[in-house]
Amino acid sequence: MDIDHLVEEIVKELTNKHAMKNSNDKYLVPIGVSGRHCHLTKSDFEKLFGSEASLTKKADLSQPGQFAANETVTIAGPKGSIQNVRILGPLRRKTQVEISLTDARKLGVTPPIRESGELMDSSPVTIIGPKGSIYLKEGLIIAQAHIHMNPEDAVRFNVKDGEFVRVKIINESRPISFEKVKVRVSPNFVLEMHIDTDEANAADVKPGTFGKLFKLGGPI
Ligand SMILES: [Zn+2]
C-alpha cells in the first residue's frame, strides 16, 4: 500500500469513528444473524432421535435460556433437502422450522414471512433425524426481521411491543435499511435485532455490526 492510499484509509477510518460517535448512540441496536434452524416438541424430538435421547447444549444464544444444540436434522421439500439444520433449545410446545428465501427455493416451497410461532397456513416440511422422520403439514416459515428488547429499552426507543420500525445498518459497504422490523418486548429479552442469512448478506452484516433504529413515519 503506498503512502497516499494509507493516509486515505486512515482518514476514512477516523471519519467513520467520528460518524459513529456523532450518531445517536442510544438508538443503536446490535445485529444477530439467525442461520436456518428448527424448534421441536418433546414428542417430535423423540420420534426423530429415539425416546432415550435428550437434547444437548452446544452453545448459549444471546437470549437468556436459549441454546444451540449439538443435534441437527435434515429438512426436505419437493425439490431438495438441506442437511445439518441446527436444533435450538429448549424444546417447545410447537415444532417449527425457520429458513431463508434461498433455502426455500432449494426445497421447492414458498413459506410465508412470519413472526416465530405464527404457523397458520405456513409451508409443509419433512424433518429427518437419525431414528425417524416426521411430516408437518405446516410449520415452515421465513422469520420476520425483529428486535428483542426489554421494557426499559422500549421506553428509551419510544416503541411498543408489536410495533414495526425501520433499522439502518451501520456500515460503509452496503448501507441498507430494513423497513419492516417488528419490535418484541419482554423482561426476559436482551437487546438484539435478528435477521436471517439472506438479509445479513444483503447488508454485509459482520460480527459486531450495529443498526440504528428509526420510528416509522419520522425521526424519533
Ligand atoms: Zn429472535
Side-chain angles (χ1 to χ4, degrees):
M1 191 185 285
D2 62 55
I3 189 76
D4 282 350
H5 200 160
L6 189 64
V7 169
E8 204 177 288
E9 285 296 311
I10 292 168
V11 169
K12 208 160 98 186
E13 198 176 318
L14 287 174
T15 312
N16 284 350
K17 278 194 177 143
H18 187 69
M20 279 295 282
K21 221 172 162 191
N22 280 2
S23 73
N24 219 335
D25 278 355
K26 68 176 186 170
Y27 295 126
L28 294 184
V29 178
I31 313 288
V33 182
S34 296
R36 66 178 78 93
H37 64 268
C38 176
H39 300 283
L40 294 172
T41 62
K42 187 171 190 300
S43 110
D44 285 344
F45 178 77
E46 287 178 357
K47 281 177 203 155
L48 298 169
F49 288 85
S51 54
E52 302 301 308
S54 58
L55 195 63
T56 60
K57 188 190 287 187
K58 178 184 167 76
D60 283 314
L61 299 176
S62 59
Q63 299 305 316
Q66 304 296 304
F67 64 90
N70 291 305
E71 293 75 18
T72 61
V73 291
T74 295
I75 56 172
K79 274 196 183 162
S81 64
I82 300 173
Q83 294 181 327
N84 301 320
V85 177
R86 186 74 49 198
I87 300 172
L88 300 191
L91 295 169
R92 288 196 178 184
R93 280 176 32 215
K94 261 195 158 173
T95 291
Q96 167 182 320
V97 182
E98 296 176 46
I99 60 171
S100 69
L101 273 165
T102 304
D103 293 338
R105 214 168 257 232
K106 188 172 180 201
L107 297 178
V109 288
T110 53
I113 296 173
R114 287 282 176 78
E115 187 175 339
S116 181
E118 291 181 0
L119 301 180
M120 221 207 314
D121 298 325
S122 57
S123 291
V125 65
T126 299
I127 308 176
I128 304 149
K131 292 280 169 66
S133 68
I134 52 173
Y135 171 77
L136 300 179
K137 255 167 69 183
E138 49 188 36
L140 183 68
I141 60 166
I142 290 161
Q144 168 76 51
H146 57 276
I147 305 174
H148 297 267
M149 64 174 74
N150 67 34
E152 293 86 70
D153 296 320
V155 169
R156 184 160 51 91
F157 289 119
N158 185 26
V159 294
K160 291 189 173 62
D161 184 53
E163 184 173 338
F164 286 101
V165 294
R166 179 161 79 89
V167 176
K168 184 179 191 304
I169 304 300
I170 310 286
N171 67 18
E172 289 291 315
S173 51
R174 285 179 163 178
I176 280 175
S177 284
F178 290 97
E179 302 289 333
K180 194 181 175 188
V181 182
K182 195 165 195 178
V183 171
R184 294 175 57 191
V185 182
S186 161
N188 303 323
F189 286 160
V190 168
L191 182 65
E192 191 171 52
M193 172 167 161
H194 284 167
I195 53 177
D196 71 20
T197 46
D198 280 358
E199 293 169 310
N201 288 335
D204 192 20
V205 169
K206 300 182 178 79
T209 299
F210 283 80
K212 188 174 177 185
L213 187 150
F214 295 87
K215 242 177 130 64
L216 288 182
I220 15 184

